[in-house]
Amino acid sequence: MRGVLTVIIPTFQAEQALMRVLPQLLGQRVIVSDGGSTDDTLTCAVRAGAVLAVGVRGRGAQLKLGAKLAALSGGTGDWYLFLHADSQLPDGWRDVVHDAMQQDAPRYFRFKADASGLKSLFMNRMVALRCWALGLPYGDQGLLISRALYERVGGHAKMALFEDVELIERLKKVATVRPLPLALTTDVSKHWQDGLWRRGLRNLGLLWRYKHGATVSELLKAYTK
């Protein structure tokens, strides 16, 4: 029998997103790791019964803090599901996740844009292509991983950008990371606001620069322009 599953969600000004995702997690052990929100993120989390971890802003640092808190009150056989606040879980996710836990290997969800039309279909296909060709799921696809494996590879680096890529690259050296048969529905409104092609090409360029030695501080400047 596998240990307890803890869902760990990094947040910053995520009140509206949490109001959508936390009802899907009722009865589940949830840690919300916040980076200094000034809206009602913390209130929303507490009302839903989540445990709070509050620290410095930066997704990598927040995920690491959430996992540390989970480890303090959990067992060595536990599992973590790292999840972005603006993701929506599919029906039947609990059974699929628990089945995957029995297989004792890290998993991620497939990607589904929370919009309809050709642009969304194209985006879904491009993400699937990236995962197939590069073996590189992003954090908005979630990550299911055992505590033992997470600690073995050193957990998340305290990075404000590409913390998901950096962890996956280390994971692939010791384990096979495969997709689950269900998809997370992810908020893509920022892609639509910035322009799908413009944002997609920018993110691809940032990934290329990261893999060729650019520092996170350099990449953040380009990311926030």
Side-chain angles (χ1 to χ4, degrees):
M1 182 70 179
R2 296 293 169 192
V4 174
L5 174 69
T6 299
V7 180
I8 300 171
I9 306 175
T11 56
F12 181 73
Q13 309 293 65
E15 171 192 356
Q16 295 300 318
L18 284 183
M19 289 175 65
R20 292 188 295 271
V21 71
L22 288 179
Q24 298 180 307
L25 297 168
L26 290 177
Q28 187 66 57
R29 187 181 185 216
V30 179
I31 293 177
V32 170
S33 186
D34 191 69
S37 295
T38 56
D39 64 357
D40 285 337
T41 292
L42 303 185
T43 301
C44 184
V46 170
R47 285 177 177 169
V51 176
L52 286 179
V54 180
V56 298
R57 185 181 176 187
R59 188 169 281 157
Q62 290 173 232
L63 291 167
K64 196 174 189 73
L65 178 62
K68 183 177 181 180
L69 182 58
L72 287 174
S73 55
T76 56
D78 287 353
W79 281 70
Y80 303 149
L81 175 58
F82 296 101
L83 190 68
H84 285 190
D86 60 358
S87 294
Q88 293 286 289
L89 287 154
D91 292 339
W93 73 269
R94 294 177 196 264
D95 290 339
V96 168
V97 163
H98 288 144
D99 286 347
M101 287 166 61
Q102 303 307 312
Q103 298 172 29
D104 201 22
R107 296 286 186 267
Y108 61 90
F109 286 93
R110 302 177 193 276
F111 178 91
K112 181 181 178 183
D114 68 338
S116 57
L118 290 177
K119 287 197 301 184
S120 296
L121 180 61
F122 175 76
M123 191 173 183
N124 294 344
R125 296 288 175 84
M126 291 305 294
V127 172
L129 179 62
R130 183 192 70 224
C131 293
W132 174 77
L134 302 179
L136 197 59
Y138 283 175
D140 57 9
Q141 294 172 256
L143 176 63
L144 175 68
I145 185 172
S146 68
R147 172 185 171 179
L149 181 57
Y150 182 77
E151 293 179 350
R152 177 183 169 191
V153 299
H156 285 92
K158 294 181 179 180
M159 299 166 60
L161 196 65
F162 288 125
E163 82 293 332
D164 45 3
V165 173
E166 197 271 344
L167 177 58
I168 289 294
E169 294 292 0
R170 280 186 282 124
L171 266 177
K172 290 195 299 184
K173 295 177 181 178
V174 298
T176 301
V177 189
R178 295 195 180 97
L180 292 163
L182 295 177
L184 281 181
T185 301
T186 298
D187 182 2
V188 295
S189 57
K190 290 182 179 179
H191 290 80
W192 278 202
Q193 291 168 12
D194 297 345
L196 178 59
W197 284 105
R198 181 172 178 269
R199 188 178 180 92
L201 289 172
R202 183 205 64 176
N203 290 347
L204 218 64
L206 290 173
L207 178 62
W208 187 90
R209 289 176 61 190
Y210 167 73
K211 285 183 167 290
H212 287 80
T215 66
V216 172
S217 59
E218 290 171 340
L219 297 173
L220 274 173
K221 290 178 183 177
Y223 184 78
T224 55
K225 282 183 179 179

